Amino acid sequence: MNLFSRRPLFKKSYLSAVNISRQYNVTASSEETVNSFLQSHDELQQTYLKEVCILVNENDKVLGSASKKDCHLLSNINGGMLHRAFSVFLFNSKNELLLQQRSNAKITFPGMFTNTCCSHPLSTKLEMDEEKAMGVKRAAQRKLFHELGITPDQIPLNIFEYITRIQYSALNQPNDGIFGENEIDYVLIVKRDVDVSLNYNEVQSYRYVDQEGMKDLLAKAESGHILLTPWFTMICKEFLFKWWANLKKTTDFVDHKNIHKLSQ
Protein backbone atom coordinates (compact mmCIF):
# COMPACT_ATOMS: atom_id res chain seq x y z
CA MET A 1 0.00 0.00 0.00
CA ASN A 2 1.46 3.32 -1.07
CA LEU A 3 0.49 5.88 1.55
CA PHE A 4 1.28 9.50 0.90
CA SER A 5 1.39 11.61 4.02
CA ARG A 6 2.21 15.27 4.35
CA ARG A 7 1.74 18.00 6.86
CA PRO A 8 -1.17 20.36 6.22
CA LEU A 9 -0.37 23.87 5.09
CA PHE A 10 -0.92 26.64 7.59
CA LYS A 11 -0.43 29.70 5.41
CA LYS A 12 -2.27 32.60 7.02
CA SER A 13 -4.97 34.20 4.93
CA TYR A 14 -5.50 37.93 4.77
CA LEU A 15 -9.07 37.05 5.71
CA SER A 16 -8.33 36.43 9.37
CA ALA A 17 -10.38 34.13 11.55
CA VAL A 18 -11.92 37.21 13.17
CA ASN A 19 -12.91 38.69 9.81
CA ILE A 20 -14.36 35.38 8.65
CA SER A 21 -16.38 35.12 11.86
CA ARG A 22 -17.80 38.61 11.37
CA GLN A 23 -18.48 38.25 7.66
CA TYR A 24 -20.16 34.85 7.88
CA ASN A 25 -21.71 35.09 11.37
CA VAL A 26 -19.86 32.17 12.93
CA THR A 27 -20.82 32.08 16.61
CA ALA A 28 -19.01 30.66 19.62
CA SER A 29 -21.85 28.23 20.27
CA SER A 30 -21.70 26.89 16.71
CA GLU A 31 -17.94 26.43 17.07
CA GLU A 32 -18.52 24.38 20.22
CA THR A 33 -21.06 22.24 18.37
CA VAL A 34 -18.64 21.67 15.49
CA ASN A 35 -15.76 20.74 17.78
CA SER A 36 -17.97 18.33 19.71
CA PHE A 37 -19.08 16.73 16.44
CA LEU A 38 -15.49 16.34 15.20
CA GLN A 39 -14.26 14.63 18.37
CA SER A 40 -15.77 11.35 17.19
CA HIS A 41 -14.06 11.51 13.79
CA ASP A 42 -10.73 10.31 12.46
CA GLU A 43 -7.81 12.37 13.77
CA LEU A 44 -5.92 12.44 10.47
CA GLN A 45 -9.00 13.66 8.61
CA GLN A 46 -9.39 16.38 11.22
CA THR A 47 -5.87 17.65 10.48
CA TYR A 48 -6.80 18.08 6.81
CA LEU A 49 -9.50 20.54 7.88
CA LYS A 50 -6.65 22.98 8.60
CA GLU A 51 -5.59 23.08 4.96
CA VAL A 52 -6.16 26.49 3.40
CA CYS A 53 -8.54 26.64 0.44
CA ILE A 54 -9.21 29.42 -2.08
CA LEU A 55 -12.25 31.64 -1.60
CA VAL A 56 -13.88 32.94 -4.79
CA ASN A 57 -16.95 34.85 -5.89
CA GLU A 58 -19.54 33.53 -8.34
CA ASN A 59 -17.30 34.62 -11.24
CA ASP A 60 -14.42 32.55 -9.82
CA LYS A 61 -12.45 35.66 -8.88
CA VAL A 62 -10.21 35.11 -5.86
CA LEU A 63 -11.40 36.86 -2.70
CA GLY A 64 -8.99 35.36 -0.18
CA SER A 65 -8.61 32.07 1.62
CA ALA A 66 -10.02 30.11 4.53
CA SER A 67 -9.50 26.75 6.17
CA LYS A 68 -11.10 23.68 4.65
CA LYS A 69 -13.16 23.47 7.83
CA ASP A 70 -14.50 27.01 7.46
CA CYS A 71 -15.23 26.49 3.77
CA HIS A 72 -17.47 23.50 4.52
CA LEU A 73 -19.40 24.83 7.50
CA LEU A 74 -23.06 25.41 6.65
CA SER A 75 -23.02 28.51 8.83
CA ASN A 76 -20.49 30.00 6.39
CA ILE A 77 -22.05 28.54 3.24
CA ASN A 78 -25.39 30.06 4.18
CA GLY A 79 -23.59 33.39 4.42
CA GLY A 80 -22.27 33.01 0.88
CA MET A 81 -18.83 31.47 1.34
CA LEU A 82 -17.77 29.84 -1.93
CA HIS A 83 -14.50 28.03 -2.65
CA ARG A 84 -12.60 26.59 -5.60
CA ALA A 85 -12.48 22.82 -6.21
CA PHE A 86 -11.84 20.26 -8.94
CA SER A 87 -13.22 16.94 -10.15
CA VAL A 88 -11.10 14.50 -12.15
CA PHE A 89 -12.58 11.94 -14.55
CA LEU A 90 -9.91 9.41 -15.54
CA PHE A 91 -10.61 7.01 -18.40
CA ASN A 92 -8.44 4.02 -19.32
CA SER A 93 -7.66 2.72 -22.82
CA LYS A 94 -10.89 0.69 -22.73
CA ASN A 95 -12.85 3.94 -22.25
CA GLU A 96 -13.77 2.84 -18.73
CA LEU A 97 -14.13 5.46 -16.01
CA LEU A 98 -12.22 5.04 -12.75
CA LEU A 99 -14.51 5.50 -9.75
CA GLN A 100 -13.57 5.61 -6.10
CA GLN A 101 -15.54 4.87 -2.95
CA ARG A 102 -14.74 7.42 -0.29
CA SER A 103 -13.39 6.11 3.00
CA ASN A 104 -15.74 5.83 5.96
CA ALA A 105 -13.14 7.93 7.80
CA LYS A 106 -14.04 10.96 5.69
CA ILE A 107 -15.89 13.72 7.53
CA THR A 108 -17.97 14.66 4.50
CA PHE A 109 -19.79 12.18 2.25
CA PRO A 110 -18.23 9.06 3.83
CA GLY A 111 -18.56 5.75 2.04
CA MET A 112 -20.06 7.27 -1.10
CA PHE A 113 -19.01 6.42 -4.65
CA THR A 114 -17.79 9.30 -6.76
CA ASN A 115 -15.65 10.21 -9.76
CA THR A 116 -11.93 9.47 -9.84
CA CYS A 117 -10.83 12.28 -7.54
CA CYS A 118 -12.46 15.40 -6.10
CA SER A 119 -10.72 17.91 -3.88
CA HIS A 120 -9.44 21.48 -3.64
CA PRO A 121 -6.48 23.51 -4.85
CA LEU A 122 -4.80 25.10 -1.86
CA SER A 123 -4.00 28.76 -1.29
CA THR A 124 -0.38 28.48 -2.40
CA LYS A 125 1.44 30.18 -5.25
CA LEU A 126 1.67 27.02 -7.34
CA GLU A 127 -1.94 25.95 -6.88
CA MET A 128 -3.37 29.45 -7.38
CA ASP A 129 -1.74 29.69 -10.81
CA GLU A 130 -4.65 30.43 -13.18
CA GLU A 131 -2.67 30.25 -16.44
CA LYS A 132 -4.26 27.34 -18.33
CA ALA A 133 -5.67 26.21 -14.95
CA MET A 134 -2.18 24.99 -14.03
CA GLY A 135 -2.78 25.48 -10.30
CA VAL A 136 -5.86 23.27 -10.37
CA LYS A 137 -4.00 20.65 -12.43
CA ARG A 138 -1.13 20.61 -9.91
CA ALA A 139 -3.64 20.12 -7.12
CA ALA A 140 -5.30 17.28 -9.02
CA GLN A 141 -1.97 15.57 -9.61
CA ARG A 142 -1.11 15.93 -5.91
CA LYS A 143 -4.45 14.46 -4.76
CA LEU A 144 -4.45 11.58 -7.25
CA PHE A 145 -1.18 10.51 -5.65
CA HIS A 146 -2.42 11.14 -2.12
CA GLU A 147 -5.71 9.26 -2.50
CA LEU A 148 -5.07 6.64 -5.18
CA GLY A 149 -1.29 6.30 -5.24
CA ILE A 150 -1.17 7.33 -8.92
CA THR A 151 2.34 8.69 -9.26
CA PRO A 152 2.92 12.01 -11.04
CA ASP A 153 5.05 10.37 -13.75
CA GLN A 154 1.95 8.43 -14.84
CA ILE A 155 -0.14 11.58 -15.14
CA PRO A 156 2.02 14.54 -16.25
CA LEU A 157 0.31 17.90 -16.10
CA ASN A 158 0.07 18.21 -19.87
CA ILE A 159 -2.42 15.34 -20.14
CA PHE A 160 -5.01 16.96 -17.86
CA GLU A 161 -7.77 18.44 -20.02
CA TYR A 162 -9.59 21.34 -18.37
CA ILE A 163 -13.12 21.07 -19.79
CA THR A 164 -15.34 23.51 -17.91
CA ARG A 165 -16.49 24.74 -14.48
CA ILE A 166 -19.63 24.03 -12.52
CA GLN A 167 -21.10 25.63 -9.41
CA TYR A 168 -23.20 23.63 -7.00
CA SER A 169 -24.22 23.38 -3.36
CA ALA A 170 -25.04 20.30 -1.30
CA LEU A 171 -25.70 19.25 2.28
CA ASN A 172 -23.37 16.69 3.80
CA GLN A 173 -24.61 13.12 3.61
CA PRO A 174 -25.59 11.80 6.07
CA ASN A 175 -26.94 15.27 6.82
CA ASP A 176 -25.36 16.42 10.08
CA GLY A 177 -26.61 20.01 9.96
CA ILE A 178 -22.99 21.18 10.21
CA PHE A 179 -21.11 20.56 6.96
CA GLY A 180 -21.87 20.92 3.26
CA GLU A 181 -20.43 21.96 -0.08
CA ASN A 182 -20.55 25.23 -2.00
CA GLU A 183 -17.99 25.10 -4.78
CA ILE A 184 -16.87 26.27 -8.18
CA ASP A 185 -15.60 22.98 -9.50
CA TYR A 186 -13.08 22.65 -12.35
CA VAL A 187 -13.77 19.53 -14.40
CA LEU A 188 -10.62 17.76 -15.60
CA ILE A 189 -10.50 14.76 -17.94
CA VAL A 190 -7.51 12.39 -18.06
CA LYS A 191 -7.12 9.55 -20.56
CA ARG A 192 -4.44 7.19 -19.30
CA ASP A 193 -3.87 3.65 -18.02
CA VAL A 194 -2.57 3.92 -14.46
CA ASP A 195 -1.50 1.80 -11.51
CA VAL A 196 -3.59 2.36 -8.39
CA SER A 197 -2.43 1.89 -4.77
CA LEU A 198 -5.08 3.02 -2.31
CA ASN A 199 -4.60 5.27 0.68
CA TYR A 200 -7.30 3.60 2.80
CA ASN A 201 -7.73 6.64 5.02
CA GLU A 202 -9.06 8.40 1.91
CA VAL A 203 -10.48 5.67 -0.34
CA GLN A 204 -11.89 2.28 0.66
CA SER A 205 -12.34 0.80 -2.82
CA TYR A 206 -12.24 1.58 -6.53
CA ARG A 207 -13.66 0.18 -9.72
CA TYR A 208 -13.71 0.83 -13.46
CA VAL A 209 -17.08 1.09 -15.19
CA ASP A 210 -18.19 1.36 -18.80
CA GLN A 211 -21.14 3.53 -19.83
CA GLU A 212 -23.71 0.81 -19.23
CA GLY A 213 -22.19 0.07 -15.83
CA MET A 214 -22.39 3.76 -14.93
CA LYS A 215 -26.04 3.94 -15.98
CA ASP A 216 -26.70 0.90 -13.79
CA LEU A 217 -25.05 2.62 -10.82
CA LEU A 218 -27.18 5.73 -11.38
CA ALA A 219 -30.30 3.59 -11.42
CA LYS A 220 -29.22 1.86 -8.19
CA ALA A 221 -28.58 5.26 -6.62
CA GLU A 222 -32.07 6.41 -7.59
CA SER A 223 -33.53 3.36 -5.84
CA GLY A 224 -31.31 3.83 -2.78
CA HIS A 225 -29.17 0.73 -3.29
CA ILE A 226 -25.91 2.65 -3.66
CA LEU A 227 -24.75 6.11 -2.58
CA LEU A 228 -23.25 8.55 -5.09
CA THR A 229 -21.91 11.98 -4.17
CA PRO A 230 -24.21 14.83 -5.19
CA TRP A 231 -21.70 16.62 -7.42
CA PHE A 232 -20.93 13.41 -9.29
CA THR A 233 -24.64 12.72 -9.77
CA MET A 234 -25.24 16.22 -11.10
CA ILE A 235 -22.31 16.03 -13.53
CA CYS A 236 -23.44 12.59 -14.70
CA LYS A 237 -26.94 13.79 -15.48
CA GLU A 238 -25.89 17.01 -17.19
CA PHE A 239 -22.61 16.30 -18.97
CA LEU A 240 -20.83 13.00 -18.45
CA PHE A 241 -22.33 10.80 -21.16
CA LYS A 242 -21.86 13.51 -23.83
CA TRP A 243 -18.15 13.61 -23.00
CA TRP A 244 -17.90 9.86 -22.67
CA ALA A 245 -19.33 9.26 -26.14
CA ASN A 246 -16.74 11.61 -27.61
CA LEU A 247 -13.51 10.90 -25.73
CA LYS A 248 -11.46 11.27 -28.91
CA LYS A 249 -12.68 14.84 -29.37
CA THR A 250 -13.26 16.20 -25.86
CA THR A 251 -11.91 19.54 -27.06
CA ASP A 252 -15.30 20.04 -28.71
CA PHE A 253 -16.78 20.42 -25.22
CA VAL A 254 -14.26 22.84 -23.77
CA ASP A 255 -16.01 25.86 -22.25
CA HIS A 256 -13.83 28.10 -20.12
CA LYS A 257 -16.12 31.11 -20.41
CA ASN A 258 -19.21 29.88 -18.59
CA ILE A 259 -19.71 28.54 -15.07
CA HIS A 260 -22.59 26.09 -15.19
CA LYS A 261 -24.87 26.22 -12.17
CA LEU A 262 -26.15 22.75 -11.33
CA SER A 263 -28.75 21.71 -8.79
CA GLN A 264 -29.96 18.42 -7.36
Side-chain angles (χ1 to χ4, degrees):
M1 182 172 61
N2 184 4
L3 292 179
F4 174 59
S5 62
R6 65 183 171 79
R7 298 180 63 180
L9 301 174
F10 295 95
K11 183 177 179 182
K12 186 175 180 181
S13 165
Y14 68 79
L15 284 180
S16 68
V18 172
N19 288 335
I20 288 173
S21 296
R22 289 173 179 169
Q23 183 174 353
Y24 295 101
N25 300 316
V26 180
T27 64
S29 59
S30 67
E31 187 69 16
E32 290 171 4
T33 300
V34 172
N35 290 337
S36 176
F37 172 79
L38 289 174
Q39 283 179 0
S40 63
H41 286 76
D42 181 80
E43 290 185 6
L44 183 56
Q45 289 295 324
Q46 288 186 57
T47 67
Y48 296 143
L49 292 179
K50 297 174 184 178
E51 293 179 332
V52 181
C53 298
I54 303 165
L55 297 181
V56 294
N57 64 17
E58 290 194 344
N59 296 315
D60 195 31
K61 301 301 181 186
V62 175
L63 299 178
S65 57
S67 71
K68 181 179 176 183
K69 174 183 172 183
D70 283 331
C71 287
H72 292 85
L73 286 174
L74 289 177
S75 54
N76 293 341
I77 290 171
N78 291 336
M81 187 179 279
L82 181 67
H83 63 277
R84 187 174 286 170
F86 65 82
S87 285
V88 177
F89 292 76
L90 186 149
F91 298 89
N92 65 16
S93 56
K94 297 178 182 179
N95 288 345
E96 295 170 326
L97 174 62
L98 176 59
L99 304 183
Q100 65 157 277
Q101 183 183 17
R102 292 165 67 86
S103 167
N104 285 328
K106 300 287 281 186
I107 294 167
T108 56
F109 308 96
M112 302 185 79
F113 280 93
T114 194
N115 51 288
T116 312
C117 183
C118 356
S119 191
H120 316 89
L122 300 181
S123 184
T124 64
K125 183 177 180 179
L126 285 177
E127 294 193 7
M128 292 182 72
D129 183 359
E130 296 184 350
E131 181 68 25
K132 298 181 180 180
M134 286 302 295
V136 170
K137 293 176 183 179
R138 290 187 183 105
Q141 187 186 62
R142 169 176 58 82
K143 288 300 291 183
L144 283 163
F145 182 38
H146 177 208
E147 296 184 2
L148 296 162
I150 302 173
T151 54
D153 61 288
Q154 296 183 76
I155 46 168
L157 294 175
N158 62 1
I159 71 167
F160 285 83
E161 297 180 56
Y162 162 36
I163 304 298
T164 193
R165 291 169 291 178
I166 66 165
Q167 181 181 343
Y168 77 95
S169 300
L171 296 172
N172 193 18
Q173 297 177 24
N175 183 10
D176 48 43
I178 295 174
F179 288 106
E181 289 285 8
N182 191 31
E183 300 181 330
I184 288 184
D185 197 17
Y186 284 65
V187 177
L188 305 173
I189 287 180
V190 175
K191 291 169 275 189
R192 184 61 61 100
D193 291 327
V194 295
D195 297 320
V196 174
S197 179
L198 296 184
N199 174 350
Y200 288 100
N201 186 255
E202 291 286 326
V203 180
Q204 62 177 290
S205 71
Y206 74 96
R207 66 174 68 174
Y208 284 94
V209 295
D210 59 17
Q211 292 190 55
E212 290 307 311
M214 188 66 246
K215 290 174 183 177
D216 183 57
L217 287 178
L218 287 168
K220 287 180 178 177
E222 289 285 346
S223 62
H225 289 92
I226 193 171
L227 297 174
L228 300 180
T229 59
W231 62 87
F232 182 41
T233 302
M234 285 184 261
I235 293 172
C236 283
K237 291 179 176 179
E238 189 70 24
F239 295 113
L240 179 61
F241 293 100
K242 301 173 191 175
W243 302 333
W244 208 333
N246 296 278
L247 286 178
K248 292 184 178 180
K249 48 181 181 178
T250 45
T251 53
D252 291 352
F253 299 93
V254 169
D255 179 5
H256 296 171
K257 181 179 179 181
N258 297 301
I259 300 172
H260 305 275
K261 295 188 177 182
L262 303 185
S263 58
Q264 294 175 273

